[in-house]
Amino acid sequence: MLSALEQYDPEIYELLRQEKALQSGTIRLIPSENYVSKAVMTATGSVMTNKYAEGYPGKRYYEGQQFTDLVESLAIARAKKVFKADHANVQPYSGSIANMAAYLALIQPGDTIMGLSLPNGGHLTHGWKVSATSKFFNSVSYDVDPNTGLLDYDKIADLAKKHKPKLLISGATAYSRTIDFAKFAEIAKSIGAFHVSDIAHISGLVVAGLHPSPVPHADVVSTTTHKTLRGPRGGMLLCKEEHQKNVDKAVFPGLQGGPHMHTITAVAVALAEADTPEFVAYAKQIIKNAKRLAAKLMEHGFNIVTGGTDNHLMLIDLRTKNVPGKKLAKALDRARIVSNYNTIPNDPAPPFNPSGLRIGTPAITTRGMKEDQMDLIAGFINKVAENIDNESVIEKVGQEVLMLCSHFPVPDHFIIPNNK
Ligand SMILES: *Cc1c(COP(=O)(O)O)cnc(C)c1O
């Protein structure tokens, strides 16, 4: 497929070639990124990209849906199976749209929503100021405990009683500890609010049974498909039967037109992969690696928010190392280690130059890296942090990273056995 591109558009071909080299010659620690399998990549670039399929299987607005209907039905059935959900909608273009659809399915514009604030680890679409979710809804935020960095369920309950949101959001984009979805459900119930749970980051861990599932405790569960779930870029909604109609209507025709059938095809493939013992082993290793990386970084004198991690990511509070997040992220990038600077709870620094760094292990675990490599990576990060103004040291670390990468080639041909 790439050779056709090489002939027709050498300029774009060259950029893809370089992007591929970048992805293989760097240690990618952005916790929302991953590498998809050969099967998922193939489905993403398939003939389904040629299709229009507005509507749902069996109820389309165009003819020619003999196979799109079957593919989408398979994706739905597989999603219901792995998440143990009554209903699944696999059409959301992305996690952000999935969240908006979840809100529109349950409440009216102008109603109050309550989610974790962005600087404390929530997502933009949990009602943060600059997001449309705070313009169409009245938004109230809760924070984590400023001292421990942990969710404080009593405080959330108090705030919920005070503001009486119609919808309470659980889930986060930068929170390293297990989330008690039953507690969120209890708080929502106590004020007669709906509970939407956003597991965009952790859905792969949930499917593998390594993080408690919100499915029994939430009216609607939202997720991306491309983070720990390791599918194509997309979004998905799961819900109880009573909300099925409203959820489907909110996605189409509420927010979207034609579904991206090539993505839905690849989602179906990714869900089959997630339903294997190999995927469970992968998810277990993600967590083992994250715990080891956090422990080693702490040995090097880094302060990990909440003192460690239960999942695939961690937030580093860099104040003990006296280096700002952005400066370290940029220096690490020069050393071929890709991360993102991030606010930490109660961050004294401004959001465009915060005190933290967010890193995670899903992508490097897909490459086959294990505990020994985590020790090396923690050492690399420390070396860069301690030599932040020394370009020759940073360059040397970059060479060591390249060497490590060469031993763990990017698995662009990895195939998960089909257990059916
Ligand atoms: C990544 C993320 C999203 C948004 O996903 P996009 O696909 O980037 O729109 C929503 N919620 C949470 C918690 C996320 O981490």
Side-chain angles (χ1 to χ4, degrees), residues 32 93-99 103 121-126 169-174 198-202 222-227 233-235 313 358:
S32 42
Y93 299 145
S94 211
S96 302
I97 302 281
N99 281 349
Y103 309 157
H123 192 258
L124 280 165
T125 55
H126 296 174
I169 304 154
S170 63
T173 195
D198 178 359
I199 53 169
H201 263 264
I202 56 171
S222 167
T223 184
T224 62
T225 50
H226 49 272
K227 297 182 183 176
R233 305 196 72 86
L313 67 75
R358 187 183 70 147

Side-chain angles (χ1 to χ4, degrees), residues 162-178:
K162 187 171 159 207
H163 294 284
K164 297 253 170 358
K166 285 254 171 74
L167 190 151
L168 179 64
I169 304 154
S170 63
T173 195
Y175 188 70
S176 65
R177 294 299 185 176
T178 300

Side-chain angles (χ1 to χ4, degrees), residues 8-337:
Y8 186 77
D9 195 336
E11 209 177 353
I12 287 291
Y13 174 82
E14 177 55 21
L15 293 175
L16 286 192
R17 197 191 60 73
Q18 288 186 38
E19 174 63 29
K20 191 174 178 184
L22 186 68
Q23 289 186 17
S24 89
T26 50
I27 290 175
R28 298 167 65 226
L29 296 178
I30 294 175
S32 42
E33 289 190 344
N34 215 325
Y35 301 95
V36 299
S37 72
K38 178 85 173 161
V40 167
M41 193 66 96
T42 304
T44 304
S46 71
V47 290
M48 285 297 183
T49 203
N50 300 332
K51 288 303 298 176
Y52 240 100
E54 282 189 1
Y56 290 101
K59 293 165 284 185
R60 305 281 191 192
Y61 290 82
Y62 301 102
E63 300 312 313
Q65 309 300 337
Q66 290 85 340
F67 303 106
T68 49
D69 273 7
L70 295 177
V71 164
E72 186 170 347
S73 298
L74 268 175
I76 292 167
R78 290 174 183 179
K80 283 163 67 172
K81 177 168 182 246
V82 300
F83 285 103
K84 301 182 179 71
D86 293 347
H87 177 63
N89 185 308
V90 295
Q91 292 196 0
Y93 299 145
S94 211
S96 302
I97 302 281
N99 281 349
M100 194 62 155
Y103 309 157
L104 291 173
L106 299 170
I107 59 173
Q108 296 300 315
D111 285 347
T112 300
I113 61 173
M114 188 172 134
L116 182 59
S117 70
L118 180 87
N120 278 247
H123 192 258
L124 280 165
T125 55
H126 296 174
W128 191 242
K129 290 175 228 175
V130 294
S131 160
T133 53
S134 84
K135 302 200 161 84
F136 287 89
F137 301 101
N138 175 43
S139 172
V140 181
S141 294
Y142 58 88
D143 291 326
V144 294
D145 182 281
N147 299 314
T148 62
L150 296 169
L151 289 168
D152 181 339
Y153 297 96
D154 292 335
K155 271 223 184 97
I156 296 168
D158 288 346
L159 209 62
K161 283 206 180 81
K162 187 171 159 207
H163 294 284
K164 297 253 170 358
K166 285 254 171 74
L167 190 151
L168 179 64
I169 304 154
S170 63
T173 195
Y175 188 70
S176 65
R177 294 299 185 176
T178 300
I179 297 172
D180 190 340
F181 296 120
K183 270 265 172 55
F184 273 101
E186 194 185 304
I187 295 167
K189 197 171 168 206
S190 76
I191 54 161
F194 291 112
H195 174 206
V196 168
S197 185
D198 178 359
I199 53 169
H201 263 264
I202 56 171
S203 53
L205 308 180
V206 168
V207 163
L210 304 174
H211 188 292
S213 172
V215 169
H217 306 293
D219 292 285
V220 178
V221 174
S222 167
T223 184
T224 62
T225 50
H226 49 272
K227 297 182 183 176
T228 51
L229 197 55
R230 210 165 60 179
R233 305 196 72 86
M236 191 188 296
L237 291 169
L238 308 152
C239 68
K240 298 191 188 307
E241 208 175 324
E242 56 183 301
H243 300 306
Q244 171 168 347
K245 248 199 182 143
N246 285 343
V247 163
D248 285 350
K249 269 204 219 152
V251 175
F252 173 85
L255 278 171
Q256 299 189 170
H260 294 179
M261 285 310 306
H262 58 308
T263 298
I264 291 171
T265 309
V267 166
V269 174
L271 290 168
E273 290 180 349
D275 198 11
T276 59
E278 286 76 13
F279 187 86
V280 175
Y282 162 64
K284 278 186 180 154
Q285 192 64 46
I286 290 178
I287 296 175
K288 274 193 216 163
N289 283 350
K291 284 183 184 291
R292 179 67 162 255
L293 190 54
K296 279 285 153 181
L297 284 168
M298 287 190 283
E299 277 178 30
H300 285 298
F302 286 94
N303 181 12
I304 305 289
V305 174
T306 77
T309 179
D310 300 327
N311 57 27
H312 63 299
L313 67 75
M314 67 208 72
L315 263 179
I316 310 174
D317 176 350
L318 294 166
R319 288 175 298 176
T320 54
K321 288 283 186 181
N322 232 343
V323 47
K326 198 180 205 168
K327 190 168 182 185
L328 181 58
K330 292 206 175 290
L332 285 171
D333 193 54
R334 294 198 295 282
R336 299 181 163 272
I337 296 173

